[in-house]
Amino acid sequence: MLSSIANCLCGAVKITAGEINPKFTVCHCDTCRGWGGAPFFAVQCGPNVKIEGSDNVKIYPSSDWASRGFCTECGTHLFFKFKKSGDYNMPVGIFENLRDIEMDVQYFSDRRPDYYCFSNKTKELSKAEIIAYFENAL
Ligand SMILES: [Zn+2]
Ligand SMILES: [Zn+2]
């Protein structure tokens, strides 16, 4: 597991993630693409995350099971957080010096529009497969 520091664009929020899974995920779901204008490249950080400048973090409940946080000053997307486990998924690009990470799985692969695709060799999970998984896990 890697440990790393993330910053929003304006510097009002600094996040230290104690454990980062080097196998990152990509989500093609409508909510992620609507949120960021593109698929969400996310690293799993577990619940052990320290947020400095949390007065500048707005948390939006994006579904029954998770919320999304962003900087109120510059709009940088900071995290997707599962309500039940408290686990954070954070955008790959906000971390400094993340090395030796690998695209591992693409979520909602059947929701990916035709106008892009990645050449990375990854696992893929469709919407139906994800719903079946979470019915057991949550
Ligand atoms: Zn900011
Ligand atoms: Zn998504």
Side-chain angles (χ1 to χ4, degrees), residues 67-124:
S67 58
R68 293 171 192 253
F70 59 92
C71 175
T72 55
E73 297 302 306
C74 68
T76 300
H77 296 165
L78 300 169
F79 56 78
F80 172 97
K81 184 182 183 184
F82 286 102
K83 284 182 184 164
K84 193 168 179 184
S85 65
D87 285 351
Y88 288 84
N89 280 11
M90 295 178 53
V92 172
I94 67 173
F95 286 94
E96 300 167 1
N97 305 319
L98 267 192
R99 278 188 293 268
D100 300 322
I101 62 171
E102 175 190 348
M103 190 188 288
D104 184 49
V105 52
Q106 297 184 60
Y107 293 122
F108 291 91
S109 53
D110 55 332
R111 300 298 302 163
R112 178 180 61 76
D114 291 337
Y115 53 74
Y116 70 82
C117 67
F118 302 122
S119 61
N120 305 55
K121 297 281 176 272
T122 72
K123 289 168 264 183
E124 295 192 357

Side-chain angles (χ1 to χ4, degrees), residues 1-135:
M1 289 287 183
L2 307 162
S3 167
S4 198
I5 293 171
N7 292 290
C8 67
L9 280 181
C10 76
V13 184
K14 178 181 169 186
I15 297 178
T16 306
E19 43 185 89
I20 287 180
N21 185 334
K23 291 178 179 286
F24 74 88
T25 64
V26 174
C27 186
H28 302 287
C29 84
D30 301 66
T31 307
C32 285
R33 288 188 292 104
W35 191 38
F40 182 32
F41 283 38
V43 279
Q44 298 167 344
C45 300
N48 179 21
V49 167
K50 187 174 106 187
I51 299 176
E52 293 165 67
S54 56
D55 288 354
N56 299 305
V57 177
K58 168 80 175 171
I59 295 175
Y60 168 70
S62 56
S63 66
D64 288 343
W65 60 88
S67 58
R68 293 171 192 253
F70 59 92
C71 175
T72 55
E73 297 302 306
C74 68
T76 300
H77 296 165
L78 300 169
F79 56 78
F80 172 97
K81 184 182 183 184
F82 286 102
K83 284 182 184 164
K84 193 168 179 184
S85 65
D87 285 351
Y88 288 84
N89 280 11
M90 295 178 53
V92 172
I94 67 173
F95 286 94
E96 300 167 1
N97 305 319
L98 267 192
R99 278 188 293 268
D100 300 322
I101 62 171
E102 175 190 348
M103 190 188 288
D104 184 49
V105 52
Q106 297 184 60
Y107 293 122
F108 291 91
S109 53
D110 55 332
R111 300 298 302 163
R112 178 180 61 76
D114 291 337
Y115 53 74
Y116 70 82
C117 67
F118 302 122
S119 61
N120 305 55
K121 297 281 176 272
T122 72
K123 289 168 264 183
E124 295 192 357
L125 288 171
S126 68
K127 182 176 182 181
E129 288 168 326
I130 290 163
I131 288 169
Y133 172 81
F134 278 107
E135 277 174 356

